[in-house]
């Protein structure tokens, strides 16, 4: 399920809309993940405040969405481009890769809410493929 | 048996009791067929599915989407008895239509996104959690008679 040139163009165009909204989109997605899939909270036991407006959730949401933006820029070779992020997730964070799918789904829900007209099925499939490729690149160094 | 809080019961009744079956059903099914094209394997007799535009305007798909979402009626009307309520449909999907149960999950993800697009900010995290729980229970019930 590799990304065609058309997929890459679609992702670049669509993600440009997110650029102005990184903290809002990111913190919304992270908060949804923690609420809808409570098992994900196990990675954040060190946070005192997991509420939607909390500093932790907002900062982490922004970090993640900025990371995705970085991946969009390196969309032609995600494995190489995300090498250091993959090492971080593999050796330090050790997030079970199933959770990438969970967060991806929450991101898609936020995109549907934020851009109801533009998040057409055609854009959805390209973004979904990209996020799946991103998850694969992030788990590349796991074993 | 699944325990439902008052908030969950109310939320499910509010959303699914007032859903526009035609619009939501058509949108959710066509989205599933476009985003996960391998799901088209079950729709060989449904006419033109050649591209996204064809899928979105296909009247047979729209009608079937409505049928599928109506299939959720027996769940939200029988919250305390979902397993039994789905025995017949589970046998149908397993023995007659031979649907890989993973497709239920794919459809539910697209249904969630369709509801989110429709409800906007009202589809907050707590509401999403209720919808997710409800759909997971339905999917489990639908898969129960597979063997």
């Amino acid at each position: 399920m590799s990304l065609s040139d058309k997929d890459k163009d679609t992702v670049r165009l669509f993600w440009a809309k997110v650029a102005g909204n990184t903290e809002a989109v990111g913190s919304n997605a992270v908060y949804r993940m923690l609420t809808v899939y409570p098992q994900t909270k196990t990675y954040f036991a060190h946070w005192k405040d997991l509420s939607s407006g909390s500093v932790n959730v907002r900062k982490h949401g922004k970090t993640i969405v900025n990371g995705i933006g970085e991946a969009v820029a390196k969309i032609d070779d995600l494995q190489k481009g995300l090498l250091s992020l993959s090492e971080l997730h593999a050796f330090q964070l050790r997030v079970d890769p199933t959770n990438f799918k969970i967060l991806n789904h929450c991101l898609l829900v936020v995109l549907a809410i934020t851009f109801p007209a533009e998040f057409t099925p055609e854009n959805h499939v390209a973004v979904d493929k990209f996020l799946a490729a991103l998850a694969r690149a992030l788990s590349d160094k796991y074993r | 048996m699944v325990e439902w809080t008052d908030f969950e019961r109310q939320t499910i009744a509010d959303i699914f009791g007032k859903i526009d079956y035609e619009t939501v059903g058509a949108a959710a099914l066509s989205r599933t067929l476009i985003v996960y094209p391998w799901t088209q394997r079950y729709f060989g007799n449904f006419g033109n599915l050649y591209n996204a535009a064809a899928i979105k305007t296909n009247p047979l798909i729209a009608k079937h989407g409505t049928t599928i979402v109506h299939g959720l009626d027996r769940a939200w009307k029988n919250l305390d008895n979902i397993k039994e309520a789905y025995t017949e449909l589970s046998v149908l999907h397993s023995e007659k239509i031979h649907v890989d149960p993973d497709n239920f999950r794919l459809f539910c993800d697209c249904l969630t996104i369709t509801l989110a697009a429709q409800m906007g900010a009202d589809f907050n995290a707590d509401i999403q959690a209720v919808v997710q729980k409800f759909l997971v229970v339905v999917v489990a019930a639908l898969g129960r008679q597979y063997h």
Side-chain angles (χ1 to χ4, degrees), chain A residues 89-100:
Chain A
H89 284 77
F91 305 129
Q92 284 188 50
L93 302 175
R94 288 175 292 194
V95 175
D96 190 308
T98 314
N99 295 288
F100 300 148

Side-chain angles (χ1 to χ4, degrees), chain A residues 1 31-32 35-37 105-106 108-109 112-113 116 119-122 124-125 128, chain B residues 31 34-36 38 52 56 109 113 116-117 120-121 123-126 128-129 132:
Chain A
M1 296 198 250
Y31 181 65
R32 273 170 202 275
T35 306
V36 180
Y37 304 92
H105 176 67
C106 292
L108 295 176
V109 170
I113 291 171
F119 197 60
T120 60
E122 295 91 320
H124 176 169
V125 58
D128 192 41
Chain B
R31 192 172 282 262
I34 294 167
V35 177
Y36 307 108
W38 53 94
K56 281 194 270 192
D109 281 353
I113 283 168
F123 195 71
N124 61 38
D126 293 321
Q128 185 183 343
Q132 179 68 18

Side-chain angles (χ1 to χ4, degrees), chain A residues 5-77:
Chain A
D5 287 337
K6 183 154 174 269
D7 289 327
K8 293 179 192 175
D9 287 337
T10 304
V11 170
R12 284 189 197 103
L13 263 171
F14 190 83
W15 203 260
K17 299 181 202 293
V18 177
N21 259 317
T22 53
E23 194 183 279
V25 168
S27 63
N28 195 337
V30 168
Y31 181 65
R32 273 170 202 275
M33 179 189 74
L34 297 168
T35 306
V36 180
Y37 304 92
Q39 67 271 24
T40 57
K41 290 194 285 191
T42 54
Y43 292 95
F44 302 98
H46 55 289
W47 286 359
K48 284 191 197 70
D49 187 358
L50 289 159
S51 62
S52 83
S54 78
V55 169
N56 285 325
V57 170
R58 284 189 351 245
K59 183 161 167 267
H60 201 60
K62 195 167 169 194
T63 302
I64 290 174
V65 172
N66 282 338
I68 297 176
E70 208 186 296
V72 174
K74 297 174 183 169
I75 204 170
D76 288 317
D77 191 344

Side-chain angles (χ1 to χ4, degrees), chain B residues 1 11 16 19 28 50 56 69 71 75-76 78 87 103 124 126 128 138:
Chain B
M1 203 190 74
T11 301
F16 292 94
I19 215 175
Y50 190 62
K56 281 194 270 192
V69 178
W76 64 263
N78 282 301
T87 306
N103 291 280
N124 61 38
D126 293 321
Q128 185 183 343
V138 172

Side-chain angles (χ1 to χ4, degrees), chain B residues 24-105:
Chain B
V24 170
L29 181 57
S30 57
R31 192 172 282 262
T32 307
L33 296 170
I34 294 167
V35 177
Y36 307 108
W38 53 94
T39 57
Q40 292 169 28
R41 74 189 304 284
Y42 301 106
F43 295 89
N45 295 330
F46 279 68
N48 187 0
L49 301 179
Y50 190 62
N51 54 31
I55 293 171
K56 281 194 270 192
T57 53
N58 184 319
L60 293 174
I61 294 295
K63 184 157 170 275
H64 199 66
T66 309
T67 303
I68 294 176
V69 178
H70 268 299
L72 293 172
D73 288 347
R74 68 189 71 190
W76 64 263
K77 291 181 179 171
N78 282 301
L79 282 177
D80 294 316
N81 209 7
I82 292 181
K83 265 191 267 191
E84 285 73 24
Y86 275 87
T87 306
E88 183 198 336
L89 273 178
S90 181
V91 170
L92 174 81
H93 283 77
S94 147
E95 308 286 311
K96 192 149 178 274
I97 325 177
H98 307 290
V99 178
D100 181 337
D102 199 55
N103 291 280
F104 306 148
R105 181 183 61 86

